[in-house]
Amino acid sequence: MKSASVVNYAPQKGSVELREMEKPLIGDEDVLLEVANVGVCGSDLHQWTADHSWPVNYPVVLGHEFGGHIIEKGKNVQGWKEGDRVVSETAAIVDLNNPMSRRGLYNLDPTRKGFGYGVHGAMTKFVKVPARCLHRVPDRLAFEQACLTEPCCVAYNAVVENAHIKPGDRVVVLGPGTIGILCTAVAKLCGAEVAVVGLAADAARLAISKKYGCEVITGDASSWAKERDGLGADCIIDAAGSSATLKIALDLVRPAGQISKVGWGPQPLNFSLDQLVQKNVRLHGSFSHNWPIWERVIAMLASGQLDVKPIIGGIWPVTEWLEAFEKMHKGEIVKAVLKPV
Ligand SMILES: [Zn+2]
């Protein structure tokens, strides 16, 4: 049985097309999911425009933000049954004996391979998933929203685990993409005053950020960051997709403040890090997420405490992936969600 799938087939720019792919065969530790919805990530767009910086196993079905129903399970799979509503973590392949995996940080295992670049992802009807990646989705949480658990986990890790925000802190979020806006939402839940910073071209996405009760700044955020006592913001969450924004973060952060860097880009830096030292700033990278973060975020989505509806710009059938990708790429919408056909 074949189904329409969004396939990234070569390293050249624009090498994504719709292909009919065979239903995957599962192993003893896997389940087969019938995909309900799959989010389009900035990294899917980067593979499409060929400005990504990670190795891709071509040809590969794109998509790593997904949920659906279990329709088949391998003989060693316990605790799950056909019909269960689930979302899946992204670390499709990890070395369970890697020291990082042994301490629960399998997301930091350097041999990790994810859905959508290392193995076939979920912009299709059926996807093979190792049972250890699964999390249960309560009935009251719709798949259109549950499929965005993954970017919410990225934000939770950047704001809660890798930064320490106190009620009343001033937090500046750089970049109004999906991760920036979700970091804003999580920082608000931590009790912070938050401003999201973007460029003039980000007007549509900045307007959506406002729904999370934050300030919105186009261009220079230094007066907002320094408004209280002239020293700068307590925390900067750098969610812009480049390395160079670290310079802005260092300018805006107050002495003894913190920077959590979750946005990345391969370009080298060309400035001094003296401010990092002189201001005694704590700079923390933030990558991916792990099991306890997923459980926490699903609970927050199910209770309505964290609401992803404002960032969803539409739901397209996978056959119309190009329109969805283009709208996101142009910044007309924050997040596109696809549905298999
Ligand atoms: Zn993603």
Side-chain angles (χ1 to χ4, degrees), residues 230-302:
L231 289 174
D234 300 281
C235 179
I236 316 294
I237 309 286
D238 182 354
S242 107
S243 295
T245 45
L246 182 59
K247 172 84 172 75
I248 299 171
L250 287 167
D251 288 340
L252 297 177
V253 72
R254 68 192 284 111
Q258 48 184 337
I259 299 170
S260 179
K261 184 144 180 59
V262 58
W264 57 340
Q267 312 84 357
L269 299 173
N270 186 27
F271 57 84
S272 164
L273 289 178
D274 280 0
Q275 286 198 98
L276 183 76
V277 178
Q278 194 177 26
K279 288 184 175 179
N280 201 130
V281 167
R282 198 175 71 112
L283 171 62
H284 210 306
S286 188
F287 182 72
S288 189
H289 31 65
N290 62 356
W291 193 91
I293 297 177
W294 277 72
E295 287 292 304
R296 174 58 56 93
V297 165
I298 291 167
M300 291 166 75
L301 289 170

Coordinates of all heavy atoms in Angstrom, one line a residue, residues 230-302:
G230 N 18.3 50.8 33.9 CA 19.4 51.1 32.9 C 20.4 50.0 32.7 O 21.4 50.2 32.0
L231 N 20.2 48.9 33.4 CA 21.3 47.8 33.3 C 21.0 46.7 32.3 O 22.0 46.0 32.0 CB 21.5 47.2 34.7 CG 22.1 48.1 35.8 CD1 22.1 47.5 37.1 CD2 23.5 48.5 35.4
G232 N 19.8 46.5 31.9 CA 19.5 45.5 30.9 C 18.6 44.5 31.4 O 18.1 44.5 32.6
A233 N 18.2 43.5 30.5 CA 17.2 42.5 30.8 C 17.8 41.4 31.6 O 19.0 41.1 31.5 CB 16.6 42.0 29.5
D234 N 17.0 40.7 32.5 CA 17.5 39.6 33.3 C 17.9 38.4 32.4 O 18.8 37.7 32.8 CB 16.4 39.2 34.3 CG 16.0 40.3 35.2 OD1 16.7 40.6 36.1 OD2 14.9 41.0 34.9
C235 N 17.1 38.2 31.4 CA 17.4 37.0 30.6 C 17.1 37.3 29.1 O 16.1 38.0 28.8 CB 16.5 35.9 31.0 SG 16.7 34.3 30.1
I236 N 17.9 36.8 28.2 CA 17.7 36.9 26.8 C 17.5 35.5 26.3 O 18.4 34.6 26.5 CB 18.9 37.6 26.0 CG1 19.4 38.8 26.7 CG2 18.5 37.9 24.6 CD1 18.5 40.0 26.8
I237 N 16.4 35.2 25.6 CA 16.3 33.9 24.9 C 16.5 34.2 23.4 O 15.8 34.9 22.8 CB 14.8 33.4 25.1 CG1 14.4 33.4 26.5 CG2 14.7 32.0 24.4 CD1 15.0 32.3 27.4
D238 N 17.6 33.7 22.9 CA 18.0 33.9 21.5 C 17.4 32.8 20.7 O 18.0 31.7 20.6 CB 19.5 34.0 21.4 CG 19.9 34.3 20.0 OD1 19.1 34.4 19.1 OD2 21.2 34.6 19.8
A239 N 16.3 33.1 20.0 CA 15.6 32.1 19.2 C 15.7 32.5 17.7 O 14.9 32.1 16.9 CB 14.2 32.0 19.6
A240 N 16.6 33.4 17.4 CA 16.8 33.8 16.0 C 17.7 32.8 15.3 O 18.6 32.2 16.0 CB 17.4 35.2 15.9
G241 N 17.5 32.5 14.1 CA 18.3 31.4 13.4 C 19.6 31.8 12.9 O 20.0 31.7 11.8
S242 N 20.4 32.4 13.8 CA 21.8 32.8 13.4 C 22.7 32.8 14.6 O 22.2 32.9 15.8 CB 21.7 34.1 12.7 OG 22.2 35.2 13.5
S243 N 24.0 32.8 14.4 CA 24.9 32.9 15.5 C 25.1 34.4 15.9 O 25.4 34.7 17.1 CB 26.3 32.3 15.1 OG 26.1 31.0 14.9
A244 N 25.0 35.3 14.9 CA 25.4 36.7 15.1 C 24.5 37.4 16.1 O 24.9 38.4 16.7 CB 25.4 37.4 13.8
T245 N 23.3 36.9 16.3 CA 22.4 37.6 17.3 C 22.9 37.5 18.7 O 22.4 38.2 19.6 CB 21.0 37.0 17.2 OG1 21.1 35.6 17.2 CG2 20.2 37.5 16.0
L246 N 23.9 36.7 18.9 CA 24.5 36.6 20.3 C 25.1 38.0 20.6 O 25.1 38.4 21.8 CB 25.6 35.6 20.3 CG 26.3 35.4 21.6 CD1 25.4 35.0 22.7 CD2 27.4 34.3 21.5
K247 N 25.5 38.8 19.7 CA 26.0 40.1 19.9 C 24.9 41.0 20.5 O 25.1 41.7 21.5 CB 26.5 40.7 18.6 CG 26.9 42.2 18.6 CD 28.3 42.4 19.1 CE 28.8 43.8 19.0 NZ 28.2 44.7 20.0
I248 N 23.7 40.9 19.9 CA 22.5 41.7 20.4 C 22.2 41.2 21.9 O 22.0 42.0 22.8 CB 21.3 41.5 19.5 CG1 21.6 42.0 18.1 CG2 20.1 42.2 20.1 CD1 20.6 41.6 17.1
A249 N 22.2 39.9 22.1 CA 21.9 39.3 23.4 C 22.9 39.9 24.4 O 22.5 40.3 25.5 CB 22.0 37.8 23.3
L250 N 24.2 39.9 24.1 CA 25.2 40.4 25.0 C 25.0 41.9 25.3 O 25.3 42.4 26.4 CB 26.6 40.2 24.4 CG 27.1 38.7 24.5 CD1 28.3 38.5 23.7 CD2 27.3 38.2 25.9
D251 N 24.6 42.7 24.3 CA 24.3 44.1 24.5 C 23.1 44.3 25.5 O 23.1 45.2 26.3 CB 24.0 44.8 23.2 CG 25.3 44.9 22.3 OD1 26.4 44.8 22.9 OD2 25.1 45.1 21.1
L252 N 22.1 43.4 25.3 CA 20.8 43.7 26.0 C 20.8 43.1 27.5 O 20.0 43.5 28.3 CB 19.6 43.1 25.3 CG 19.4 43.6 23.9 CD1 18.2 42.8 23.2 CD2 19.0 45.1 23.9
V253 N 21.7 42.1 27.7 CA 21.6 41.4 29.0 C 22.2 42.3 30.1 O 23.2 43.0 29.9 CB 22.2 40.0 28.9 CG1 23.8 40.1 28.8 CG2 21.8 39.1 30.1
R254 N 21.7 42.2 31.3 CA 22.2 42.9 32.5 C 23.4 42.1 33.1 O 23.5 40.9 32.9 CB 21.1 43.2 33.5 CG 20.6 42.0 34.3 CD 19.4 42.3 35.1 NE 19.6 43.1 36.3 CZ 19.2 44.4 36.4 NH1 18.6 45.0 35.5 NH2 19.4 45.0 37.5
P255 N 24.2 42.8 33.9 CA 25.3 42.1 34.5 C 24.7 41.0 35.4 O 23.7 41.2 36.0 CB 26.0 43.2 35.4 CG 25.7 44.5 34.6 CD 24.3 44.3 34.1
A256 N 25.4 39.8 35.4 CA 25.0 38.7 36.1 C 23.7 38.1 35.6 O 23.0 37.3 36.3 CB 24.8 38.9 37.7
G257 N 23.3 38.5 34.4 CA 22.1 38.0 33.7 C 22.4 36.7 33.0 O 23.5 36.1 33.1
Q258 N 21.4 36.2 32.2 CA 21.6 34.9 31.5 C 21.1 35.0 30.1 O 20.2 35.8 29.8 CB 20.9 33.8 32.3 CG 19.5 34.2 32.7 CD 18.8 33.1 33.5 OE1 19.2 31.9 33.5 NE2 17.8 33.5 34.3
I259 N 21.7 34.2 29.3 CA 21.4 34.1 27.9 C 21.1 32.6 27.6 O 22.0 31.8 27.9 CB 22.5 34.6 26.9 CG1 22.7 36.1 27.2 CG2 22.1 34.4 25.4 CD1 24.0 36.6 26.4
S260 N 20.0 32.3 27.0 CA 19.7 30.9 26.6 C 19.7 31.0 25.1 O 18.8 31.6 24.5 CB 18.4 30.4 27.2 OG 18.1 29.1 26.8
K261 N 20.6 30.3 24.4 CA 20.7 30.3 23.0 C 20.1 29.0 22.4 O 20.6 28.0 22.5 CB 22.1 30.5 22.5 CG 22.2 30.7 21.0 CD 23.3 31.7 20.6 CE 23.4 31.9 19.1 NZ 22.2 32.4 18.4
V262 N 18.9 29.2 21.7 CA 18.2 28.0 21.1 C 18.2 28.1 19.6 O 18.1 27.1 18.9 CB 16.8 27.9 21.8 CG1 16.0 29.1 21.6 CG2 16.1 26.6 21.3
G263 N 18.3 29.3 19.1 CA 18.4 29.5 17.6 C 19.8 29.3 17.2 O 20.8 29.7 17.9
W264 N 20.0 28.8 16.0 CA 21.4 28.5 15.6 C 21.6 28.7 14.1 O 20.6 28.7 13.3 CB 22.0 27.2 16.0 CG 21.2 26.0 15.6 CD1 19.8 26.0 15.2 CD2 21.6 24.6 15.6 NE1 19.5 24.7 14.9 CE2 20.5 23.8 15.1 CE3 22.8 24.0 15.8 CZ2 20.6 22.4 15.0 CZ3 22.9 22.6 15.7 CH2 21.8 21.8 15.2
G265 N 22.8 28.9 13.6 CA 23.1 29.0 12.2 C 24.6 28.8 12.0 O 25.4 29.0 13.0
P266 N 25.0 28.3 10.9 CA 26.4 27.9 10.7 C 27.4 29.0 10.5 O 28.6 28.7 10.5 CB 26.4 27.0 9.5 CG 25.2 27.5 8.7 CD 24.2 28.0 9.7
Q267 N 27.0 30.2 10.3 CA 27.9 31.3 10.0 C 28.8 31.6 11.2 O 28.4 31.6 12.4 CB 27.2 32.6 9.7 CG 26.0 32.5 8.7 CD 24.7 32.0 9.3 OE1 24.6 31.8 10.5 NE2 23.7 31.9 8.5
P268 N 30.1 31.9 11.0 CA 31.0 32.2 12.1 C 30.7 33.6 12.7 O 30.0 34.4 12.1 CB 32.4 32.2 11.5 CG 32.1 32.5 10.0 CD 30.8 32.0 9.7
L269 N 31.2 33.8 13.9 CA 31.0 35.1 14.6 C 32.2 36.0 14.2 O 33.2 35.6 13.9 CB 31.0 34.9 16.1 CG 29.9 34.0 16.6 CD1 30.1 33.8 18.1 CD2 28.5 34.7 16.4
N270 N 32.0 37.3 14.4 CA 33.1 38.2 14.2 C 33.0 39.4 15.2 O 33.0 40.6 14.8 CB 33.0 38.8 12.7 CG 34.2 39.6 12.4 OD1 35.3 39.4 12.9 ND2 34.0 40.5 11.5
F271 N 32.9 39.1 16.4 CA 32.9 40.1 17.5 C 33.5 39.6 18.8 O 33.7 38.4 18.9 CB 31.5 40.7 17.7 CG 30.5 39.6 18.1 CD1 30.4 39.2 19.4 CD2 29.7 39.0 17.2 CE1 29.5 38.3 19.8 CE2 28.8 38.0 17.6 CZ 28.7 37.7 18.9
S272 N 33.8 40.5 19.6 CA 34.5 40.1 20.9 C 33.5 39.6 21.9 O 32.3 40.1 21.9 CB 35.1 41.4 21.5 OG 35.4 41.2 22.8
L273 N 33.9 38.6 22.7 CA 33.0 38.1 23.7 C 33.3 38.7 25.1 O 32.9 38.2 26.1 CB 33.2 36.6 23.8 CG 32.5 35.8 22.7 CD1 32.8 34.3 22.8 CD2 31.1 36.0 22.5
D274 N 34.0 39.9 25.0 CA 34.4 40.5 26.3 C 33.2 40.8 27.2 O 33.3 40.7 28.4 CB 35.2 41.8 26.0 CG 36.6 41.5 25.7 OD1 37.0 40.3 25.7 OD2 37.4 42.5 25.4
Q275 N 32.1 41.2 26.6 CA 30.9 41.5 27.4 C 30.5 40.3 28.3 O 30.0 40.5 29.4 CB 29.8 42.0 26.6 CG 29.9 43.4 26.0 CD 28.6 43.9 25.6 OE1 28.0 44.7 26.3 NE2 28.2 43.6 24.4
L276 N 30.6 39.1 27.7 CA 30.2 37.9 28.4 C 31.0 37.8 29.7 O 30.4 37.5 30.7 CB 30.5 36.7 27.5 CG 30.1 35.3 28.0 CD1 28.6 35.1 27.9 CD2 30.8 34.2 27.3
V277 N 32.3 38.1 29.6 CA 33.1 38.1 30.8 C 32.9 39.2 31.7 O 32.6 39.1 32.9 CB 34.6 38.0 30.4 CG1 35.5 38.0 31.6 CG2 34.9 36.9 29.5
Q278 N 32.9 40.4 31.1 CA 32.8 41.6 32.0 C 31.5 41.7 32.7 O 31.4 42.2 33.8 CB 33.0 42.9 31.1 CG 33.3 44.1 31.8 CD 33.5 45.3 30.9 OE1 33.1 45.3 29.8 NE2 34.3 46.3 31.4
K279 N 30.4 41.3 32.0 CA 29.1 41.3 32.7 C 28.8 40.1 33.5 O 27.8 39.9 34.1 CB 28.0 41.4 31.6 CG 27.9 42.8 31.0 CD 26.7 42.8 30.0 CE 26.4 44.1 29.4 NZ 25.2 44.0 28.5
N280 N 29.8 39.1 33.5 CA 29.6 37.9 34.3 C 28.3 37.2 33.9 O 27.5 36.8 34.8 CB 29.6 38.3 35.8 CG 29.9 37.1 36.7 OD1 30.7 37.2 37.6 ND2 29.3 35.9 36.4
V281 N 28.1 37.1 32.6 CA 26.8 36.5 32.1 C 26.9 35.0 32.0 O 28.0 34.4 31.7 CB 26.6 37.1 30.7 CG1 25.5 36.4 29.9 CG2 26.2 38.6 30.8
R282 N 25.8 34.4 32.2 CA 25.7 32.9 32.0 C 25.1 32.6 30.7 O 24.0 33.0 30.4 CB 24.8 32.3 33.1 CG 25.0 30.8 33.2 CD 24.2 30.3 34.4 NE 22.8 30.3 34.0 CZ 22.1 29.2 33.9 NH1 22.5 28.0 34.0 NH2 20.8 29.3 33.5
L283 N 25.9 32.0 29.8 CA 25.4 31.7 28.4 C 25.2 30.2 28.3 O 26.1 29.4 28.7 CB 26.5 32.1 27.4 CG 26.3 31.7 26.0 CD1 25.0 32.3 25.4 CD2 27.5 32.1 25.1
H284 N 24.0 29.8 28.0 CA 23.6 28.4 28.0 C 23.0 28.0 26.6 O 22.1 28.6 26.1 CB 22.6 28.1 29.1 CG 22.7 26.8 29.6 ND1 22.6 25.6 28.8 CD2 22.8 26.3 30.9 CE1 22.7 24.6 29.6 NE2 22.8 25.0 30.9
G285 N 23.6 27.0 26.0 CA 23.0 26.5 24.7 C 21.8 25.6 25.1 O 21.7 25.1 26.3
S286 N 20.9 25.5 24.2 CA 19.7 24.6 24.5 C 19.3 23.8 23.3 O 19.1 24.4 22.2 CB 18.5 25.5 24.9 OG 17.4 24.7 25.4
F287 N 19.4 22.5 23.4 CA 19.1 21.7 22.2 C 18.1 20.6 22.6 O 18.3 19.8 23.5 CB 20.5 21.0 21.8 CG 20.3 20.1 20.6 CD1 20.1 20.7 19.3 CD2 20.3 18.8 20.7 CE1 19.9 19.9 18.2 CE2 20.2 18.0 19.6 CZ 20.0 18.5 18.3
S288 N 17.1 20.5 21.7 CA 16.1 19.4 21.8 C 15.5 19.3 23.1 O 15.2 20.3 23.8 CB 16.9 18.2 21.4 OG 16.1 17.1 21.1
H289 N 15.2 18.1 23.6 CA 14.3 17.8 24.8 C 14.4 16.3 25.1 O 14.9 15.6 24.3 CB 12.9 18.2 24.4 CG 12.6 18.0 22.9 ND1 12.6 16.7 22.3 CD2 12.4 18.9 21.9 CE1 12.5 16.9 21.0 NE2 12.3 18.1 20.7
N290 N 13.9 16.0 26.2 CA 13.8 14.5 26.6 C 12.5 14.2 27.2 O 11.6 15.0 27.3 CB 15.0 14.2 27.4 CG 15.1 14.9 28.7 OD1 14.3 15.8 29.0 ND2 16.1 14.6 29.5
W291 N 12.4 12.9 27.7 CA 11.1 12.3 28.1 C 10.4 13.2 29.2 O 9.2 13.5 29.0 CB 11.4 10.9 28.7 CG 10.2 10.1 28.9 CD1 9.6 9.3 27.9 CD2 9.4 10.0 30.0 NE1 8.5 8.7 28.5 CE2 8.3 9.2 29.8 CE3 9.4 10.6 31.3 CZ2 7.3 8.9 30.7 CZ3 8.4 10.3 32.2 CH2 7.4 9.5 31.9
P292 N 11.0 13.6 30.3 CA 10.2 14.4 31.3 C 9.7 15.7 30.7 O 8.6 16.1 31.1 CB 11.2 14.6 32.4 CG 12.5 14.3 31.9 CD 12.4 13.4 30.7
I293 N 10.4 16.3 29.8 CA 9.9 17.6 29.2 C 8.6 17.3 28.4 O 7.6 18.0 28.4 CB 11.0 18.2 28.3 CG1 12.2 18.6 29.2 CG2 10.4 19.4 27.6 CD1 13.4 19.2 28.5
W294 N 8.7 16.2 27.6 CA 7.5 15.8 26.8 C 6.2 15.6 27.7 O 5.2 16.1 27.4 CB 7.8 14.6 26.0 CG 8.5 14.9 24.7 CD1 9.8 15.3 24.6 CD2 7.9 14.9 23.4 NE1 10.1 15.6 23.3 CE2 9.0 15.3 22.5 CE3 6.7 14.7 22.9 CZ2 8.8 15.5 21.2 CZ3 6.5 14.8 21.5 CH2 7.5 15.2 20.7
E295 N 6.4 14.9 28.8 CA 5.3 14.6 29.7 C 4.7 15.9 30.2 O 3.5 16.1 30.3 CB 5.7 13.7 30.8 CG 5.9 12.2 30.3 CD 4.6 11.5 29.9 OE1 3.7 11.5 30.7 OE2 4.6 11.1 28.8
R296 N 5.6 16.8 30.6 CA 5.2 18.1 31.2 C 4.4 18.9 30.2 O 3.4 19.5 30.4 CB 6.4 18.8 31.8 CG 6.1 20.2 32.3 CD 5.1 20.3 33.4 NE 5.5 19.4 34.5 CZ 6.1 19.8 35.6 NH1 6.5 21.1 35.7 NH2 6.4 19.0 36.5
V297 N 5.0 19.0 29.0 CA 4.4 19.9 27.9 C 3.0 19.3 27.5 O 2.1 20.1 27.3 CB 5.4 20.0 26.7 CG1 4.6 20.6 25.5 CG2 6.5 21.0 27.1
I298 N 2.9 18.0 27.4 CA 1.6 17.4 27.0 C 0.6 17.8 28.1 O -0.6 18.2 27.7 CB 1.7 15.9 26.8 CG1 2.5 15.6 25.6 CG2 0.3 15.3 26.7 CD1 3.0 14.1 25.5
A299 N 1.0 17.7 29.3 CA 0.0 18.1 30.4 C -0.4 19.6 30.3 O -1.6 19.9 30.5 CB 0.7 17.8 31.8
M300 N 0.6 20.4 29.9 CA 0.2 21.9 29.8 C -0.6 22.1 28.6 O -1.5 23.0 28.6 CB 1.6 22.7 29.7 CG 2.4 22.7 30.9 SD 4.1 23.3 30.6 CE 3.8 25.0 30.5
L301 N -0.4 21.4 27.5 CA -1.3 21.5 26.3 C -2.7 21.0 26.6 O -3.7 21.6 26.2 CB -0.7 20.8 25.1 CG 0.6 21.4 24.5 CD1 1.2 20.4 23.5 CD2 0.3 22.7 23.8
A302 N -2.8 19.9 27.3 CA -4.1 19.3 27.6 C -4.9 20.1 28.6 O -6.1 20.2 28.4 CB -3.9 17.9 28.2

